[in-house]
């Protein structure tokens, strides 16, 4: 076992890492035998997933994206890089487009670039990254572009408001010059929301990214209504609380009403809860498993919960 595998097991946990490795590890060296998720995709029609508008432009984007925090930080290990590419393939084949990363996510940017090259998928991705420095934002963005092997991003965001007085004008200048399509600002774990709302009120940003799930709901009271009022798209990070929410729900029976909206797992129930909020544009769950990437995309199909069911979802998850 090499150092990269040990590192991945340390961050992901042995159980979750081995589950993620199954999609490719079980078929390593077996030539023509495809992993289960690929066989499943071969035997079904790719769904027409729900799309939601970016308010500032009207452009429609699939309602579930893909995060890369921890899960894509696998260094140069070729097996783990190919595993991440398999996750991306399942995500794209399930109808996804937005992939999000950051300079603070270790090797994730380079791994995304590797996957895009391997899959020939640059025309399928809605490229989303961040600037996270109080020093030279332009230099960091250039490095990010090199890692992704992409010239112009769809969306760049000031990550956790770091260096915002310099980095936000930089992003607007890039947008004005035609080198960037959308500008955003992020927070995580519910931090600095007052500062974020001040930016939302006073600058013409296109996106905000915040933590939101059926347990962390404070943004429903103030930030999501402001986003609707200001015409700002909302990306949801930590929809599963970094995986801890799904770990807590593991083994619990889905409520009977989940069948009414065709939710077959807790992950799909949570994502449907998020997608159905009118202010939410795109949650970005992360995963190491191609089958879970496909499962997450399937949450953007079929019926969505109404307001009453959304409250029931939050109530059930809040007590389990």
């Amino acid at each position: 076992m090499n150092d990269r595998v040990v590192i991945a097991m340390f961050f992901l946990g042995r159980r979750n890492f081995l589950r993620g490795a199954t999609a490719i590890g079980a078929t390593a060296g077996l030539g023509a035998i495809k992993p289960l998720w690929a066989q499943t995709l071969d035997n079904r029609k790719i769904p027409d997933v729900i799309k939601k508008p970016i308010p500032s432009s009207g452009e429609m984007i699939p309602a579930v994206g893909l995060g890369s925090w921890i899960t894509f930080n696998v260094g140069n290990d070729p097996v783990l890089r190919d595993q991440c590419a398999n996750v991306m393939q399942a995500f794209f084949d399930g109808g996804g487009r937005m992939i999000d990363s950051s300079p603070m996510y270790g090797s994730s940017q380079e791994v995304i670039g590797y996957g895009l090259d391997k899959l020939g998928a640059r025309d399928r991705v809605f490229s989303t990254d961040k600037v996270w420095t109080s020093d030279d934002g332009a230099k960091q963005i250039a490095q990010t572009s090199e890692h992704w092997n992409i010239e112009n991003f769809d969306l760049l965001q000031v990550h956790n408001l770091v260096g915002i007085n310099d980095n936000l004008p930089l992003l607007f200048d890039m947008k004005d010059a035609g080198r960037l399509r959308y500008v955003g600002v992020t927070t995580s774990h519910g931090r600095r929301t007052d500062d974020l709302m001040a930016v939302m009120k006073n600058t013409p940003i296109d996106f905000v990214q915040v933590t939101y799930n059926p347990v962390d709901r404070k943004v429903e009271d103030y930030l999501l209504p402001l986003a609707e009022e200001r015409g700002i798209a909302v990306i949801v990070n930590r929809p599963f609380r970094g995986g801890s929410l799904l770990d807590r729900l593991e083994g619990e029976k889905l409520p009977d009403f989940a069948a009414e909206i065709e939710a077959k797992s807790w992950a799909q129930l949570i994502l449907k809860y998020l997608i159905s909020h009118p202010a939410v544009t795109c949650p970005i769950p992360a995963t190491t498993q191609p089958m879970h990437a496909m499962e997450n995309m399937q949450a953007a199909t079929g019926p969505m919960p109404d307001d009453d069911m959304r409250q029931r979802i939050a109530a059930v998850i809040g007590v389990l």
Side-chain angles (χ1 to χ4, degrees):
M1 184 177 294
N2 65 37
D3 291 343
R4 293 296 184 182
V5 175
V6 173
I7 291 169
M9 289 175 63
F10 174 80
F11 280 111
L12 300 175
R14 176 178 172 83
R15 182 188 60 174
N16 289 335
F17 172 75
L18 291 178
R19 285 179 178 174
T22 299
I24 59 170
T27 59
L30 295 183
I33 299 177
K34 293 183 178 180
L36 179 60
W37 64 267
Q39 296 176 34
T40 305
L41 285 170
D42 286 345
N43 293 326
R44 70 179 180 89
K45 182 180 179 181
I46 303 303
D48 184 14
V49 300
I50 292 169
K51 298 178 177 64
K52 303 193 79 172
I54 299 170
S56 65
S57 68
E59 178 182 358
M60 304 297 288
I61 187 166
V64 173
L66 180 65
S68 61
W69 179 63
I70 295 181
T71 53
F72 277 32
N73 183 21
V74 299
N76 293 317
D77 187 284
V79 173
L80 298 182
R81 282 192 166 214
D82 284 342
Q83 178 181 328
C84 292
N86 282 346
V87 169
M88 293 169 63
Q89 182 72 70
F91 170 72
F92 288 133
D93 287 346
R97 287 195 63 210
M98 178 185 284
I99 298 180
D100 175 88
S101 194
S102 169
M104 73 175 297
Y105 296 171
S107 63
S108 296
Q109 295 175 327
E110 298 169 65
V111 172
I112 291 170
Y114 169 82
L116 292 175
D117 285 338
K118 180 178 180 180
L119 302 175
R122 296 190 180 280
D123 60 338
R124 301 174 71 180
V125 69
F126 186 98
S127 52
T128 303
D129 213 295
K130 307 177 184 80
V131 55
W132 181 66
T133 180
S134 55
D135 189 13
D136 189 339
K139 180 180 179 180
Q140 186 180 76
I141 291 169
Q143 292 171 339
T144 295
S145 296
E146 183 177 346
H147 292 328
W148 280 66
N149 192 20
I150 197 167
E151 185 173 356
N152 296 326
F153 281 88
D154 291 297
L155 167 63
L156 288 174
Q157 306 152 98
V158 179
H159 194 27
N160 286 334
L161 288 84
V162 173
I164 192 165
N165 291 334
D166 295 321
N167 291 326
L168 195 57
L170 170 63
L171 297 186
F172 280 125
D173 286 345
M174 292 177 63
K175 182 179 178 181
D176 290 342
R179 296 188 292 118
L180 176 65
R181 299 179 64 218
Y182 298 107
V183 172
V185 177
T186 84
T187 64
S188 58
H189 300 79
R191 295 179 296 217
R192 298 192 65 182
T193 52
D194 289 342
D195 292 337
L196 177 60
M197 291 180 66
V199 174
M200 294 169 67
K201 291 175 182 178
N202 296 304
T203 59
I205 57 174
D206 303 292
F207 279 83
V208 292
Q209 184 178 140
V210 296
T211 296
Y212 179 39
N213 54 64
V215 177
D216 301 302
R217 300 178 58 195
K218 290 183 180 180
V219 293
E220 291 179 348
D221 296 329
Y222 50 87
L223 194 144
L224 296 184
L226 179 61
E228 282 192 276
E229 176 189 329
R230 296 285 295 170
I232 299 171
V234 177
I235 299 172
V236 172
N237 60 43
R238 296 176 56 81
F240 305 141
R241 284 189 146 193
S244 65
L245 184 54
L246 294 181
D247 288 342
R248 178 164 66 83
L249 294 168
E250 186 174 5
E252 299 287 348
K253 183 179 180 294
L254 278 174
D256 292 339
F257 62 74
E260 298 176 28
I261 56 172
E262 301 176 8
K264 299 178 176 64
S265 66
W266 285 109
Q268 289 186 351
L269 192 65
I270 292 168
L271 290 174
K272 282 177 176 279
Y273 173 88
L274 297 172
I275 294 167
S276 62
H277 193 291
V280 169
T281 309
C282 186
I284 49 170
T287 182
T288 62
Q289 303 180 50
M291 289 186 68
H292 282 180
M294 184 170 61
E295 175 188 330
N296 291 342
M297 287 310 306
Q298 289 170 347
T301 65
M304 290 292 135
D306 58 16
D307 289 341
D308 177 67
M309 186 176 289
R310 294 184 79 257
Q311 296 302 317
R312 292 162 70 189
I313 293 170
V316 166
I317 291 177
V319 299
L320 288 177

